[in-house]
Amino acid sequence: MAGRRATMVRRVLKFAGVTTAAVLAAVALYVLVTLPPRAVALPSALPPGTVYGAYHVHSSRSDGSGTVDEIAAAAGRAGLSFVILTNHGNATRPPDPPAYHHGVLCLDAVEITTNAGHVVALGLTRAAGYPLAGEARDVVEDIHRLGGMAIAAHPDSPRPELRWRAGSTGIDGFEWLSADSEWRDESGGRLLMAAARSLIRPAGAIASLFERPVRSLARWDAAARARPVVAVAALDAHARIAWGEDREPRRAGGLSYPGYETMFRTAAQAVLLDGPLSGTAADDAARLLTAIAAGRTFSIVRAFADPAALDFYGEKDGVRVPMGGALDAAFAGVRLSAGVPGVPEAELTLIRDGQRVAAGKGTLEFAPTAVGVYRIEAFYPGHVFPWLLSNAIRLGLGAPALVPAPAPQAAPTKALAVTGGPWTTEHDRSSTASFVAEGAGVRLLYELGSGPLASQYAALVTTAAGDAALDRIRFTARADRPMRVSVQVRVAGGGPDGRRWRRSIYVDREPRLVDLALSDFEPVGPATNLRPVVARVQAVLFVVDTVNTTPGAGGSVWLSGVTLGLGDVDRPGGG
């Protein structure tokens, strides 16, 4: 009996082994048969002023796995000329100066978390004097104040919390492609197959997951009609897969995969300069950032074919305008031209405002007859995802106004609720707040509690007397240093503390008039579509908190001429 059982066990194990081997062989055969095409090595050389680089890369300074030196070495092996590092932060850390490592120019940017998604601050000239956070419009405003450009990161990520939810107002650019977002909506089986294929063709396996980002392209097309807006291909490279990686920043640990070099060979951002890089980091960084801001840049999926240049320009009366430029609406004599030198098999499509208007093979010529935003998508044979994507030429849409916005003026007041006072203070247990009357105004003295973030705050409060309906708040403010103050209104309902809405304002040593419409305020706490357009406000609070102030910080804020009233409801607020 024991012998029969042993024989049966051996047979079962043999059958299981044969079955497993057969399954593994079938999987291996399937992987081999479905391998993505090998990247085509094109014979064409890049023009001297065209440089390839990697945009949106994380190092070990935040949640990437590699040091700057290791990342630069990987970029050099992949044939790149520059890397733009975008570690998570709040911009209070001084940006590292541009530097060459392993022959690769490394630029330091920062990815900032706002209430409506992530934004990359590129080209900051100095550190922020306070943490950049909170409402997206305020962070974008601060980025511009610090000399940088704001690029909406992974705007249509499958993860809702990572999407850009603030529209295009003030945004200088969009990531039309985010390589890290492309896998997030894939099934487990498809990801396993891609991982298996990556053992043989790593860059091709990653690019095989790319699907046309229709929503992101539509965002860009719509935004570019109002003003020049740049589109870039983002790698969002971390070289790390870890548990809970749907979170940003990612946790420490995990597998260093896919590697930086693989990502650098998958896609790149090409920048068109006026000549070769000089080797002087500061000068080359300035030239690179200027070209990107001007839209003289295009994206390439290197996993399809590489290297390649993309020519796209408009011409009128012998004057040539490159991608990123603009032409007036007098169509007579205007020509749009595009081409991929040395790649006659490239299929070119001309897009106007998101719609295809012309096509060509290798080259394309078009005489436009309508205003709009024109751009090129080029496809390499055998691929349905864009291989090359240009920045846009704006035709007949005019130039954005370069005049400063007028200073806010007091709107006519129809009903007055309160004019500054009586004043009280509120604060958490670890913080202090007091006030001193100074002339016609009041001075808030605050010190936030030190230690870890624990919702420390200090506030100057004025009670709104009477039952008059309000639609705006006006006052003059200054502070002893550059900072942000959260102006909040408290309305009855929603609990003992009422419901609150807020609007952040920037203040510094110069007194400035602030005129805020309640319709511009955002809710404090749970999201709601309700806005206090015209409300019976219980109290107005001027709050210093850890959204934009570090624990342990102290100082003073001066307020005068605080007026709550009912003015022109349709008039926009400012701050």
Side-chain angles (χ1 to χ4, degrees):
M1 180 68 71
R4 288 181 181 177
R5 287 185 183 141
T7 300
M8 183 176 298
V9 169
R10 286 195 296 270
R11 288 176 178 173
V12 169
L13 291 175
K14 181 178 181 181
F15 177 77
V18 170
T19 302
T20 301
V23 170
L24 291 176
V27 170
L29 179 61
Y30 178 78
V31 168
L32 290 172
V33 170
T34 59
L35 275 177
R38 189 186 305 274
V40 177
L42 297 172
S44 56
L46 292 177
T50 299
V51 293
Y52 280 5
Y55 161 79
H56 201 144
V57 179
H58 294 267
S59 76
S60 55
R61 205 180 74 209
S62 64
D63 57 349
S65 66
T67 65
V68 173
D69 195 70
E70 291 167 341
I71 290 169
R77 292 192 299 270
L80 299 184
S81 297
F82 69 89
V83 169
I84 298 177
L85 299 159
T86 57
N87 288 303
H88 294 279
N90 58 18
T92 56
R93 179 188 182 277
D96 291 337
Y100 273 98
H101 298 272
H102 300 281
V104 175
L105 179 61
C106 297
L107 286 76
D108 199 22
V110 58
E111 184 176 4
I112 301 169
T113 300
T114 79
N115 291 349
H118 293 188
V119 59
V120 171
L122 180 60
L124 295 183
T125 58
R126 62 188 186 279
Y130 51 88
L132 304 194
E135 297 299 326
R137 59 185 168 185
D138 300 327
V139 174
V140 170
E141 176 187 299
D142 288 338
I143 290 171
H144 291 162
R145 185 179 292 111
L146 293 168
M149 61 182 296
I151 301 177
H154 36 73
D156 294 290
S157 170
R159 302 293 304 183
E161 64 273 19
L162 298 180
R163 294 174 190 158
W164 184 251
R165 305 178 298 280
S168 62
T169 301
I171 283 293
D172 304 299
F174 281 102
E175 294 179 357
W176 76 271
L177 169 66
S178 177
D180 182 69
S181 295
E182 290 297 313
W183 61 267
R184 292 179 181 268
D185 58 353
E186 301 291 347
S187 66
R190 184 166 163 79
L191 289 175
L192 285 174
M193 287 296 99
R197 297 184 189 101
S198 72
L199 299 175
I200 303 172
R201 291 185 188 151
I206 293 172
S208 71
L209 298 175
F210 291 177
E211 297 179 0
R212 183 179 179 82
V214 176
R215 287 179 297 180
S216 295
L217 289 171
R219 281 179 185 260
W220 174 38
D221 287 329
R225 281 193 64 90
R227 67 187 193 288
V229 177
V230 179
V232 291
L235 296 177
D236 205 355
H238 296 74
R240 166 173 290 155
I241 294 179
W243 296 111
E245 66 177 339
D246 56 326
R247 300 173 49 165
E248 294 285 353
R250 300 181 182 184
R251 301 172 184 175
L255 179 66
S256 296
Y257 178 87
Y260 289 109
E261 186 174 347
T262 294
M263 296 300 293
F264 296 159
R265 294 185 183 277
T266 301
Q269 194 65 27
V271 181
L272 311 181
L273 303 176
D274 53 4
L277 293 169
S278 68
T280 302
D283 293 344
D284 291 342
R287 294 169 60 206
L288 197 72
L289 292 172
T290 297
I292 292 174
R296 297 193 297 272
T297 179
F298 66 88
S299 308
I300 176 171
V301 179
R302 303 181 74 199
F304 297 167
D306 179 71
L310 175 60
D311 290 336
F312 178 45
Y313 58 89
E315 194 167 15
K316 181 180 179 182
D317 299 331
V319 178
R320 181 174 292 191
V321 175
M323 69 178 80
L327 288 165
D328 62 36
F331 297 112
V334 174
R335 301 287 297 180
L336 295 176
S337 302
V340 184
V343 191
E345 65 271 32
E347 299 171 3
L348 276 65
T349 300
L350 180 65
I351 308 289
R352 183 188 69 227
D353 297 339
Q355 302 298 317
R356 172 175 168 158
V357 295
K361 204 157 191 177
T363 61
L364 182 151
E365 296 284 336
F366 184 72
T369 58
V371 301
V373 177
Y374 291 81
R375 57 181 179 83
I376 290 290
E377 294 182 14
F379 296 82
Y380 199 81
H383 297 280
V384 297
F385 189 87
W387 169 45
L388 307 174
L389 186 136
S390 78
N391 262 277
I393 294 175
R394 303 172 72 248
L395 179 58
L397 296 173
L402 298 179
V403 296
Q409 301 295 319
T413 300
K414 298 179 181 176
L416 188 63
V418 65
T419 53
W423 298 103
T424 60
T425 60
E426 297 179 9
H427 56 86
D428 70 288
R429 290 185 178 181
S430 67
S431 304
T432 63
S434 61
F435 68 90
V436 177
E438 294 189 357
V442 62
R443 176 187 179 191
L444 167 66
L445 297 92
Y446 67 90
E447 185 173 343
L448 298 189
S450 58
L453 291 173
S455 300
Q456 296 96 319
Y457 78 96
L460 182 64
V461 184
T462 182
T463 302
D467 294 325
L470 312 171
D471 79 336
R472 62 195 325 97
I473 304 170
R474 295 191 293 271
F475 54 91
T476 297
R478 68 180 179 92
D480 58 352
R481 61 180 179 83
M483 63 181 298
R484 278 196 172 271
V485 175
S486 177
V487 182
Q488 302 183 11
V489 294
R490 184 179 289 150
V491 178
D497 192 40
R499 292 180 176 176
R500 286 183 295 140
W501 282 264
R502 64 186 167 199
R503 178 74 166 94
S504 174
I505 62 164
Y506 170 81
V507 293
D508 56 25
R509 292 182 176 87
E510 293 297 320
R512 63 187 65 209
L513 174 65
V514 180
D515 191 347
L516 303 177
L518 296 191
S519 57
D520 282 341
F521 282 49
E522 296 290 334
V524 177
T528 175
N529 290 327
L530 296 176
R531 293 293 184 273
V533 178
V534 176
R536 286 172 170 80
V537 174
Q538 292 181 323
V540 178
L541 302 85
F542 298 87
V543 183
V544 179
D545 59 26
T546 52
V547 173
N548 297 113
T549 306
T550 56
S556 297
V557 178
W558 287 265
L559 301 168
S560 62
V562 179
T563 302
L564 283 65
L566 186 66
D568 183 353
V569 176
D570 296 327
R571 184 175 177 272

